[in-house]
Amino acid sequence: MAGRTREPESTRTAERRGRGGRAPTEARDAPSEPSDPTRSRLGRLLRGSRRRTLLLALLLAVVLGGLGGWLLYGSPWLRVDRVAVSGTDVLTERQVREVAAVQEGGPLVSVDKEAVERRLRAELPRIREARVVRSWPNGIGLKVTERQPELVMKRAGIYVEMDREGVRFATAERRPKGVPLLVFELERSAVSTRHFGAEKLRQAAAKTAAGLPRPVRRAAETVRVRSYDDITVELTDGRTVLWGSAERPGAKAKSLTALMKAAKDAEHFDVSVPSAPAASGS
């Protein structure tokens, strides 16, 4: 009986790979491409250069920041050596400086401007506005605007000054020259007092005084308040002006100026309704 002929091993392996196995592809079996040593070295140099540039930039920023901080806070060149005051009339420059309390010799940049402004307004009520400015390299400027009295009230022998907003900001033993006296006569208008309150009535009176034409303002002796809608201005020569409420001051001032020119001998002027002014007496 004849024996079986065996197939060569290489043939069986090829058949098995044809049925399910994968023969090595050309790409897989191909040798990797050798790297370019020049290109690799150039990449390393570029990466190293970028790192050095970044480090140098960071170092420069730290140095400049430290130098700037020292110049502002530690150097002797940017320190306060003078405090200038402007805008004072009644107040003295010394009063303003003392209340401002700006430390001379301290760093100019460390002066808290907002805190100084608040302190000036709080401790010196006569100051309506305060502005603090740095004047490099060594100065601080204190620019103030004082309140101007539009009216005075007499209380226990003392005159209380009020500005155009009705703010009471100062007292004086003598009545300031040229400032009208505020007088309340509210017995017959208790309803008005309850509705508006003393503060609103003071504000209305101050607004009236501030709205008078300049010649009338200079001649005003008394501002008499009977109610919110009944404010009368008495002049030094005995003439009177019924102003009414404090509303529409511009229209009333214009109407009063024209009325006084047209009725020069009149003693009483009524501009409570500015579109229909009236004059009487002679």
Side-chain angles (χ1 to χ4, degrees):
M1 185 173 176
R4 289 189 305 175
T5 303
R6 298 181 61 183
E7 295 178 352
E9 182 66 25
S10 59
T11 304
R12 290 198 302 270
T13 303
E15 289 178 355
R16 284 198 301 269
R17 287 179 178 175
R19 289 193 298 268
R22 291 193 309 172
T25 62
E26 181 179 353
R28 180 181 298 175
D29 296 338
S32 59
E33 183 179 348
S35 61
D36 188 344
T38 303
R39 182 182 302 174
S40 177
R41 187 160 49 253
L42 179 60
R44 288 195 298 270
L45 289 173
L46 289 175
R47 287 193 295 272
S49 176
R50 284 195 293 268
R51 283 195 295 270
R52 286 192 296 272
T53 301
L54 179 60
L55 289 174
L56 287 174
L58 290 174
L59 179 62
L60 181 61
V62 171
V63 171
L64 290 177
L67 179 60
W70 178 79
L71 285 173
L72 290 174
Y73 292 95
S75 76
W77 304 306
L78 302 178
R79 294 182 174 272
V80 180
D81 65 5
R82 68 183 186 280
V83 179
V85 180
S86 62
T88 56
D89 184 18
V90 177
L91 296 172
T92 66
E93 294 184 6
R94 180 177 180 180
Q95 285 176 300
V96 176
R97 285 196 190 93
E98 288 179 352
V99 172
V102 176
Q103 181 184 0
E104 294 193 18
L108 186 65
V109 72
S110 68
V111 176
D112 189 337
K113 299 192 298 181
E114 290 74 16
V116 174
E117 291 167 359
R118 288 194 299 269
R119 189 159 56 245
L120 287 171
R121 291 193 299 267
E123 298 186 27
L124 295 174
R126 186 177 290 274
I127 293 179
R128 181 168 60 89
E129 294 180 358
R131 183 167 172 243
V132 179
V133 295
R134 293 187 180 91
S135 180
W136 298 94
N138 304 109
I140 286 290
L142 306 176
K143 300 181 179 182
V144 301
T145 302
E146 295 184 1
R147 299 181 188 273
Q148 299 300 318
E150 296 291 344
L151 286 173
V152 293
M153 293 179 62
K154 192 172 183 179
R155 291 287 183 270
I158 299 296
Y159 292 95
V160 181
E161 296 179 87
M162 293 181 294
D163 68 358
R164 63 175 54 235
E165 298 169 350
V167 176
R168 293 170 290 181
F169 62 88
T171 59
E173 295 183 357
R174 295 183 179 182
R175 178 176 171 182
K177 186 177 180 181
V179 180
L181 178 67
L182 173 59
V183 176
F184 285 110
E185 291 182 354
L186 305 173
E187 295 81 7
R188 294 175 298 170
S189 56
V191 174
S192 178
T193 306
R194 288 196 303 269
H195 181 70
F196 292 101
E199 182 177 356
K200 287 188 178 296
L201 293 175
R202 283 196 302 268
Q203 292 173 349
K207 187 176 178 180
T208 295
L212 293 171
R214 185 171 298 179
V216 179
R217 173 69 178 78
R218 288 197 295 263
E221 177 72 16
T222 304
V223 175
R224 197 174 299 275
V225 179
R226 296 182 176 88
S227 71
Y228 185 81
D229 297 317
D230 188 356
I231 301 176
T232 299
V233 180
E234 300 172 357
L235 308 184
T236 53
D237 58 6
R239 294 183 296 172
T240 61
V241 177
L242 177 58
W243 195 260
S245 73
E247 305 303 323
R248 303 181 64 190
K252 291 179 180 181
K254 184 177 180 179
S255 181
L256 180 60
T257 300
L259 187 62
M260 285 185 160
K261 289 181 179 180
K264 295 181 180 180
D265 297 329
E267 295 180 358
H268 308 289
F269 303 92
D270 184 349
V271 291
S272 56
V273 180
S275 58
S280 62
S282 60

